[in-house]
């Protein structure tokens, strides 16, 4: 009796064991191969507009990232980057990135941002000595049912040691066709990490689907770039709803082939309107009796933007772009509208159907290219002063409510206890003159600072603007 | 033997000596403290106002405690503005523990001072009152006493010294949105000052009031308290009693000291004169006079100006404030190395406090936009009202209204000011309008918010949220 059952069981075990052992070995191998490409990114966020008299709130945190190129290119989620146009008193802006590996620290800077795919691109400042190997990416897309590994990191207690979760793709989501739902819930420090197949080939960067109506996702969008609310959900440990994997194998290949990552968001090709938007909610549509499936209310028209040139006004409602109806009812739909505009492309003339003063009108408009934003803005570091400035960008001007006639450079970074800090210069101050010489842009700032370095005056006087007020700040560097 | 006896007697005398000293105190400091106490303590007042507060989108009341001092026989009381600001009722407890109601004579948020008057008939020989002294002749190290109600503990006295005079603290903001502390430097003392001491007197050893206690650093510091010099308090009290307000001139300049800027502006290193114009408010008299940031003002109204250190800024601000409104003031200005004459016409300083209003049916509170707020927030003009709080779960919260939103319009009504808003809002509530469009400015962006309130039959008013604190 015993024997009769034992034999098939033994046979079964013999048949399954190597398969199981082989599976384990594959997972081990895949983890060993791809794990070192997943790195912890330590970041610092600061309030875009510090409270009067305060030092400015600071948030520090750690994010998971994937080394994607031999030149120190790192891909992560765009969660820490606020949308332009949020309330500057509640908008946190990343001011510093550093990757820590084996006790060494490698500073990095943001080089690209893809808001729609929620991806950010960083570059390590000294790639020669950067030890983490770039990930290799698979050549084909994953399929539902496929088993994959999510490579992420353990928490601070465990010094961000690499870890993984084994899971399965349960759905390929409609729409852009490049998003996948997973079986497992995703831990905090897996967001921004790497999804690999059992060969250890990268399939994409792990993110969460902000567009789905998970409470966390909606909150993050509703706050229009308010990173705080996003972090309150981060701290809960697990994300509700389906986490989503974004495979970017093809995209990343392109990127690695043609750095820098500025190409990601090719400004010369993507269309841009230059407006701040509010969705036409059902309540507002009912109130104004606006027909159609939705629309976009213009809340602000940026100076010099295509929208301004076409004569669009605050309060206009965009109903159609290029004869396609604008189906925007809620904040989360705005991404769809942005994509539509970007897809149409810069330089293209499109008819816009708008609703103004109770009537429908057609306004022809030539889409422009999106100008540089603060992340891509050129910068200048003045190490003697402990000061880094950037050129004024449209989103900085917008977010800080800087009057449009102000020219200069803005303070992007201040070294703690550096001379600029000691003298009282703060992040987001706009420097408009150096030693009595007006500096209208970064080039003029550089020229003025060259003179300062030659002459080495005891006090270098910066004239700056903070909010609506101006002041002279003498800085005494240690020449 | 005789020698021994006398030694014993001496020893006995030495042992007895302290006891003898106790019985007859030859201690001048203790004497002076007692005397000063007796001169001021009878005029000390414990104040318990009920304040109206707006928070989390609702209006409520809080009971606070503060201090004050009677300084005239007819019953005028000096205290801090922040003790009685938005008070709906003020009760004073005198040193003999009698409770007397008081009327508000006037408040001045810019100096954080206020004057009350005891409502009861003046006693035949007058109210006990303290003498206001001279704060210009004080010295660091001088003994002082703080009297008042720290944490509500009435009739308390603490002793210390003046730790520092002429302490500069940058102007800060009152809960009402008004700046305060622009016109004075502070007397710093280590005589214990705690919340509740606010408005009480700082007293010299000769029994005169030399300051009004106003600030403590209760969290990080110990024995660091600040008092408003009585010379300023006397002036403000006089104005408040005469006219109920303090009228000031304003020119719209933010001043900077010449420290570390002398070389840059071609001023003498050893004795830099003048004050640097750091910032000019748009639409101000300074702008109209053609003054520019970077000008160094050497003379104001024929008198030299000297702001070498920031401690000297409040005195200049005060000099300007005391200039008659509408006066054409000649200025001597150094601009790019050249002396120039500029004439500037002073303007009356606009009120700095914004009134507030609650909307319980909708679930939010608003504040008036003062000229000062409009300028500092880069608003196009003083129109609209500012949302100060949104009650969680209310109709306003549901509609997405946020604190900091500037309400520009209600339906089609362009809001001019708080009174205009209040009237429009009241009409909407009376008509039970259940769909209201608010047009707001959020930073530089315009947003539209649809309020969908449901009006219920008015029920018995709930008691407002109450709490107690010390000022």
């Amino acid at each position: 009796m015993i024997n009769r059952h034992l034999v098939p069981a033994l046979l079964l075990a013999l048949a399954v064991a190597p398969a199981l052992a082989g599976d384990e070995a594959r997972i081990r191998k895949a983890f060993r191969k791809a794990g070192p490409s997943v790195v912890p990114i330590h970041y610092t966020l600061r309030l875009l507009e510090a409270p009067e008299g305060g030092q400015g709130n600071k948030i520090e945190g750690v994010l998971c990232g994937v080394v994607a190129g031999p030149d120190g290119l790192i891909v992560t989620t765009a969660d820490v980057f606020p949308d332009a146009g949020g309330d500057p008193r509640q908008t946190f802006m990343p001011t510093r990135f550093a990757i820590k590996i084996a006790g060494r620290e490698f500073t990095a800077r943001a080089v690209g941002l893809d808001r729609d795919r929620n991806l950010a691109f960083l570059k390590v400042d000294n790639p020669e000595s950067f030890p983490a190997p770039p990930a290799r990416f698979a050549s084909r897309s994953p399929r539902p049912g496929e088993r994959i590994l999510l490579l992420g990191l353990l928490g601070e207690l465990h010094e961000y040691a690499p870890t993984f979760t084994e899971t399965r793709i349960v759905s390929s989501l409609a729409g852009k066709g490049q998003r996948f739902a997973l079986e497992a819930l995703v831990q905090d420090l897996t967001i921004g990490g790497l999804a690999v197949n059992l060969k250890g080939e990268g399939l994409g960067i792990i993110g969460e689907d902000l567009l789905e109506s998970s409470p966390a996702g909606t909150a993050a969008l509703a706050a229009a770039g308010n990173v705080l609310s996003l972090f309150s959900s981060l701290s809960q440990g697990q994300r509700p709803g389906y986490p989503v994997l974004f495979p970017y194998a093809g995209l990343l290949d392109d990127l690695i082939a043609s750095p820098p990552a500025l190409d990601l968001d090719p400004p010369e090709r993507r269309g841009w309107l230059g407006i701040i938007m509010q969705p036409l909610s059902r309540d507002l549509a009912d109130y104004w009796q606006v027909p159609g499936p939705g629309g976009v209310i213009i809340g602000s028209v940026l100076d010099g933007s295509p929208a301004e040139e076409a004569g669009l006004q605050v309060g206009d409602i965009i109903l159609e772009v290029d004869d396609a109806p604008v189906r925007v009812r809620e904040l989360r739909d705005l991404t769809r509208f942005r994509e539509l505009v970007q897809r149409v492309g810069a330089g293209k003339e499109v008819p816009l159907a708008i609703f103004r003063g109770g009537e429908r009108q057609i306004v022809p408009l030539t889409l422009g290219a999106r100008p540089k934003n603060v992340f891509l803005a050129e910068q200048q570091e003045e190490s003697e002063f402990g000061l880094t400035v950037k050129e004024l960008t449209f989103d900085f001007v917008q977010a800080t409510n800087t009057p449009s006639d102000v020219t200069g450079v803005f303070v992007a970074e201040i070294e703690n206890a550096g001379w600029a800090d000691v003298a009282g210069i703060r992040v987001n101050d706009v420097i408009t003159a150096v030693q009595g010489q007006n500096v209208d842009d970064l080039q003029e700032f550089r020229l003025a600072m060259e003179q300062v370095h030659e002459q080495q005056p005891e006090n270098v006087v910066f004239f700056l603007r903070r909010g609506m007020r101006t002041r002279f700040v003498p800085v005494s560097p240690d020449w | 033997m005789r020698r021994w006896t006398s030694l014993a007697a001496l020893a006995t005398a030495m042992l007895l000596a302290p006891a003898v000293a106790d019985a007859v105190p030859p201690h001048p400091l203790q004497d002076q403290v007692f005397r000063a106490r007796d001169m001021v303590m009878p005029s000390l007042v414990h104040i318990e106002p009920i304040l109206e507060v707006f928070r989390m989108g609702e209006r409520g009341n809080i009971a606070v405690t503060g201090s004050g001092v009677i300084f005239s026989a007819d019953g005028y009381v000096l205290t801090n503005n922040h003790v009685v600001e938005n008070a709906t009722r003020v009760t004073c407890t005198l040193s003999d523990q009698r409770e007397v109601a008081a009327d508000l004579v006037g408040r001045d948020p810019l100096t954080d001072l206020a004057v009350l008057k005891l409502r009861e008939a003046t006693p035949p020989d007058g109210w006990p009152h303290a003498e206001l002294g001279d704060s210009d002749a004080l010295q660091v190290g001088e003994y002082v006493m703080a009297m008042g109600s720290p944490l509500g503990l009435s009739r308390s006295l603490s002793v210390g010294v003046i730790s520092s005079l002429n302490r500069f603290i940058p102007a800060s903001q009152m809960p009402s949105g008004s700046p305060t502390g622009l016109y004075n430097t502070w007397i710093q003392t280590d005589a214990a000052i705690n919340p509740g001491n606010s408005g009480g007197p700082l007293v010299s050893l000769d029994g005169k009031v030399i300051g009004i206690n106003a600030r403590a650093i209760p969290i990080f510091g110990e024995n660091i308290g600040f008092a408003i010099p009585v010379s300023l308090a006397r002036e403000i009290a006089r104005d408040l009693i005469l006219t109920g307000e303090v009228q000031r001139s304003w020119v719209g300049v933010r001043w900077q000291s010449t420290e570390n800027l002398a070389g840059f502006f071609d001023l003498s290193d050893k004795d830099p004169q003048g004050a640097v114009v750091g910032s000019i408010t748009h639409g101000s008299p300074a702008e109209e006079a053609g003054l520019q940031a970077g000008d160094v003002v050497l003379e104001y109204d024929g008198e030299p100006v000297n702001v070498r250190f920031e401690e000297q800024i409040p005195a200049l601000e005060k000099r300007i404030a005391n200039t008659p409104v509408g006066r054409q003031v000649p200025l001597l200005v150094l601009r790019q190395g050249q002396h120039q004459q500029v004439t500037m016409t002073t303007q009356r300083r606009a009120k700095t406090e914004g009134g507030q209003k609650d909307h319980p049916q909708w679930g939010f509170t608003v504040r008036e936009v003062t000229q000062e707020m409009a300028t500092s927030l880069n608003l196009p003009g003083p129109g609209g009202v500012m949302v100060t709080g949104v009650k969680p779960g209310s109709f306003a919260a549901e509609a997405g209204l946020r604190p900091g939103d500037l309400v520009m319009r209600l339906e089609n009504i362009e809001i001019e000011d708080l009174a205009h808003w209040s009237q429009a809002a009241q009409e909407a509530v009376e008509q039970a309008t259940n769909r209201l469009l608010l047009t707001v400015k959020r930073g530089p962006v315009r947003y539209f918010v649809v309020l969908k309130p449901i009006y219920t039959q008015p029920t018995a008013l709930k008691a407002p949220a109450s709490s107690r604190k010390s000022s």
Side-chain angles (χ1 to χ4, degrees):
Chain A
M1 199 64 173
I2 288 165
N3 280 353
R4 258 174 46 200
H5 278 175
L6 197 63
V7 173
L10 270 174
L11 283 174
L12 190 70
L14 279 172
V16 171
L20 280 176
D23 218 35
E24 237 176 61
R26 279 168 72 199
I27 289 172
R28 257 204 317 274
K29 211 172 146 192
F31 179 51
R32 220 176 25 236
K33 188 170 151 193
S37 300
V38 178
V39 293
I41 304 168
H42 296 251
Y43 60 81
T44 306
L45 307 179
R46 274 179 195 282
L47 268 185
L48 200 51
E49 189 177 281
E52 182 82 23
Q55 251 282 325
N57 284 341
K58 191 166 92 170
I59 294 179
E60 288 180 342
V62 175
L63 190 72
C64 201
V66 176
V67 184
D71 49 353
L73 183 75
I74 292 169
V75 188
T76 182
T77 70
D79 288 352
V80 292
F81 291 90
D83 259 332
D87 181 347
R89 288 159 300 181
Q90 292 179 21
T91 304
F92 281 85
M93 185 79 83
T95 55
R96 185 185 146 82
F97 295 102
I99 289 103
K100 290 187 186 163
I101 302 177
R104 290 172 68 195
E105 189 180 292
F106 299 87
T107 54
R109 73 207 130 88
V111 294
L113 188 66
D114 187 330
R115 180 67 68 192
D116 303 336
R117 296 179 178 84
N118 200 33
L119 288 180
F121 297 81
L122 311 181
K123 215 158 178 191
V124 176
D125 290 329
N126 293 306
E128 313 82 41
S129 55
F130 190 59
R136 264 196 44 224
F137 288 88
S139 50
R140 64 166 187 82
S141 274
R143 280 187 284 256
E146 186 169 344
R147 285 168 63 200
I148 61 169
L149 304 184
L150 305 180
L151 307 186
L153 302 168
L154 290 177
E156 189 183 1
L157 259 181
H158 305 285
E159 292 172 351
Y160 306 109
T163 181
F164 71 91
T165 311
E166 190 193 345
T167 185
R168 200 182 283 276
I169 291 174
V170 293
S171 181
S172 169
L173 300 180
K176 275 182 286 183
Q178 289 201 313
R179 301 180 299 145
F180 298 87
L182 306 176
E183 193 176 34
L185 282 174
V186 176
Q187 303 287 335
D188 281 352
L189 277 177
T190 307
I191 303 278
L194 183 66
V196 295
N197 59 23
L198 293 194
K199 288 184 206 158
E201 296 169 329
L203 298 170
I205 309 299
I206 303 156
E208 62 171 338
D209 195 352
L210 293 177
L211 302 183
E212 294 308 310
S213 53
S214 71
T218 318
L221 269 184
N226 180 350
V227 186
L228 265 185
S229 63
L230 200 60
F231 280 94
S232 67
S233 74
L234 267 174
S235 63
Q236 285 159 15
Q238 286 192 325
R239 308 301 183 91
Y242 279 106
V244 171
L245 160 72
F246 299 80
Y248 283 107
L251 180 76
L252 288 172
D253 276 346
D254 285 350
L255 230 150
I256 295 156
S258 60
L262 291 182
D263 285 352
L264 247 191
D265 201 350
E268 68 278 11
R269 271 183 280 142
R270 291 187 152 203
W272 184 69
L273 271 171
I275 56 172
I276 307 285
M277 308 176 282
Q278 180 186 1
L280 180 69
S281 66
R282 237 169 260 286
D283 282 344
L284 284 166
D286 288 350
Y287 187 89
W288 285 314
Q289 300 183 328
V290 187
V296 162
I297 310 165
I298 299 180
S300 174
V301 177
L302 301 182
D303 280 334
S305 66
E308 189 191 50
E309 261 162 52
L312 291 184
Q313 297 168 9
V314 170
D316 286 350
I317 304 166
I318 303 175
L319 302 174
E320 289 168 22
V321 175
D322 211 3
D323 297 329
V326 174
R327 295 174 192 278
V328 174
R329 281 283 189 229
E330 292 174 53
L331 280 166
R332 63 179 189 210
D333 304 331
L334 285 176
T335 305
R336 219 181 292 159
F337 177 76
R338 279 196 201 99
E339 263 178 18
L340 172 67
V341 172
Q342 287 173 355
R343 215 169 32 240
V344 171
K348 196 166 172 226
E349 187 177 317
V350 285
L352 294 186
I354 64 161
F355 191 80
R356 179 188 292 172
E359 279 174 32
R360 200 183 131 97
Q361 300 181 20
I362 302 292
V363 176
L365 176 142
T366 306
L367 289 179
R370 188 188 176 88
K372 272 186 198 169
N373 59 20
V374 285
F375 313 112
L376 306 179
E378 239 187 292
Q379 66 178 42
Q380 171 78 14
E381 192 185 334
E382 290 293 334
S383 48
E384 279 92 347
F385 294 83
L387 172 75
T388 303
V389 301
K390 285 187 172 189
E391 57 188 325
L392 289 188
T393 54
F394 77 94
D395 52 343
F396 175 85
V397 168
Q398 171 74 30
T400 55
N401 205 5
T402 303
S404 55
D405 56 346
V406 173
T407 53
V409 294
F410 78 92
V411 177
E413 230 177 292
I414 289 280
E415 188 194 318
N416 252 338
W419 295 116
D421 185 19
V422 170
I425 295 183
R426 294 196 212 141
V427 168
N428 291 324
D429 283 348
V430 177
I431 298 175
T432 57
V434 178
Q435 285 291 83
Q437 198 173 328
N438 281 346
V439 291
D440 287 347
D441 54 32
L442 196 66
Q443 184 55 29
E444 289 188 16
F445 176 80
R446 284 182 179 137
L447 288 174
M449 290 309 288
E450 266 173 34
Q451 278 187 20
V452 165
H453 283 282
E454 272 170 31
Q455 293 162 359
Q456 305 204 342
E458 191 191 333
N459 285 302
V460 181
V461 178
F462 292 89
F463 183 52
L464 50 86
R465 166 180 283 273
R466 180 175 302 160
M468 289 308 292
R469 297 207 165 102
T470 56
R471 69 179 72 194
F472 294 90
V473 180
V475 183
S476 319
D478 218 1
W479 289 117
Chain B
M1 190 65 198
R2 232 182 116 175
R3 213 167 57 176
W4 282 108
T5 320
S6 53
L7 268 176
L10 187 65
T12 314
M14 281 170 71
L15 279 170
L16 287 173
V20 172
D22 259 4
V24 185
H27 200 306
L29 177 61
Q30 180 66 76
D31 256 357
Q32 282 176 294
V33 168
F34 283 156
R35 205 166 45 233
R37 174 201 63 190
D38 292 343
M39 285 170 77
V40 178
M41 209 61 147
S43 56
L44 190 64
V45 169
H46 171 82
I47 303 176
E48 286 195 340
I50 305 293
L51 306 188
E52 186 175 69
V53 292
F54 292 79
R55 53 185 172 193
M56 296 298 288
E58 281 185 290
R59 184 178 55 169
N61 288 328
I62 55 169
V64 303
T65 61
S67 311
V69 61
I70 308 170
F71 65 96
S72 74
D74 49 353
Y76 283 106
V77 177
L78 250 174
T79 184
N80 280 142
N81 170 63
H82 77 259
V83 172
V84 293
E85 175 181 35
N86 296 328
T88 54
R89 198 180 64 195
V90 182
T91 310
C92 293
T93 309
L94 309 185
S95 60
D96 60 5
Q97 305 196 34
R98 255 193 320 141
E99 278 193 14
V100 178
D103 293 315
L104 183 67
V105 174
R107 306 187 290 113
D108 182 42
L110 286 162
T111 55
D112 194 10
L113 289 166
V115 172
L116 308 174
K117 189 163 193 308
L118 300 177
R119 203 179 281 167
E120 231 168 65
T122 306
D125 31 350
W127 293 100
H129 62 282
E131 193 181 329
L132 302 184
D134 179 8
S135 52
D136 299 333
L138 298 172
Q139 292 185 49
V140 172
E142 195 175 327
Y143 279 102
V144 288
M145 278 156 279
M147 298 183 197
S149 310
L151 306 175
L153 304 168
S154 56
R155 299 183 304 285
S156 297
L157 181 151
S158 60
V159 179
V161 295
I162 292 178
S163 309
S164 181
L165 283 166
N166 207 20
R167 174 71 66 202
F168 174 74
I169 304 175
S172 56
Q173 222 166 33
M174 286 268 161
S176 67
S178 170
T180 188
L182 274 174
Y183 302 112
N184 61 287
T185 51
W186 301 76
I187 301 170
Q188 184 188 326
T189 178
D190 68 348
I193 290 179
N194 285 287
N197 270 116
S198 286
L202 189 69
V203 177
S204 60
L205 277 188
D206 58 0
K208 288 176 182 164
V209 177
I210 52 152
I212 298 297
N213 301 322
R215 295 183 186 195
I217 301 184
I219 301 170
F220 299 109
E222 271 179 38
N223 308 333
I224 301 177
F226 298 97
I228 301 163
V230 80
S231 52
L232 178 72
R234 183 188 283 116
E235 246 179 75
I236 300 298
R238 185 197 57 208
D239 286 3
L240 290 179
I241 291 170
L242 285 176
T243 64
E245 60 175 0
V246 180
Q247 204 183 86
R248 291 188 174 89
S249 271
W250 176 78
V251 297
V253 174
R254 277 259 165 155
W255 301 99
Q256 284 187 248
S257 64
T258 53
E259 199 182 10
N260 290 332
L261 289 170
F264 182 72
F265 289 117
D266 297 327
L267 300 168
S268 139
D269 259 351
K270 289 209 180 80
D271 183 25
Q273 294 293 312
V276 176
V277 175
S279 187
I280 286 183
T281 303
H282 183 58
S284 66
E287 191 188 58
E288 271 164 39
L291 222 54
Q292 300 168 6
D295 284 350
V296 182
V297 174
L298 301 171
E299 284 180 14
Y300 177 88
D301 212 1
E303 297 283 326
V305 170
N306 191 359
V307 180
R308 186 168 176 188
F309 305 107
E310 59 182 7
E311 285 83 356
Q312 293 165 303
I313 294 174
L316 175 59
E317 293 279 14
K318 186 154 178 300
R319 207 160 121 195
I320 294 167
N322 287 355
T323 310
V325 171
R327 183 181 165 83
Q328 295 191 332
V329 179
L331 303 178
L332 178 63
V333 170
L334 185 69
R335 181 177 298 163
Q336 284 155 2
Q338 305 286 319
H339 283 119
Q340 291 196 19
Q341 291 286 345
V342 173
T343 304
M344 177 169 68
T345 308
T346 61
Q347 211 176 72
R348 184 175 174 168
R349 186 172 187 123
K351 81 172 186 170
T352 53
E353 282 183 324
Q356 294 207 67
K357 174 107 183 70
D358 65 326
H359 298 285
Q361 291 93 342
W362 298 341
F364 67 102
T365 54
V366 297
R367 166 174 290 158
E368 184 179 2
V369 178
T370 58
Q371 187 61 48
E372 191 127 349
M373 275 167 79
T375 309
S376 70
L377 296 171
N378 188 18
L379 303 176
V385 290
M386 182 72 77
V387 176
T388 49
V390 178
K391 186 181 171 182
S394 65
F395 298 116
E398 198 183 326
L401 201 65
R402 292 192 209 164
D405 282 352
L406 182 74
V407 183
M408 309 292 294
R409 258 195 220 178
L410 173 66
E411 295 282 286
N412 286 325
I413 307 164
E414 205 80 42
I415 303 301
E416 286 159 24
D417 53 25
L418 186 66
H420 187 209
W421 158 263
S422 300
Q423 187 197 334
Q426 196 188 333
E427 275 167 23
V429 170
E430 276 166 10
Q431 289 160 18
T433 315
N434 56 14
R435 213 164 269 252
L436 284 158
L437 182 70
L438 301 183
T439 308
V440 307
K441 273 197 89 167
R442 188 171 293 168
V445 183
R446 184 177 300 186
Y447 279 91
F448 301 93
V449 173
V450 180
L451 267 185
K452 295 193 290 181
I454 299 165
Y455 300 92
T456 48
Q457 290 298 316
T459 50
L461 283 175
K462 270 188 290 182
S466 293
S467 62
R468 182 170 281 271
K469 71 164 190 180
S470 298
S471 274

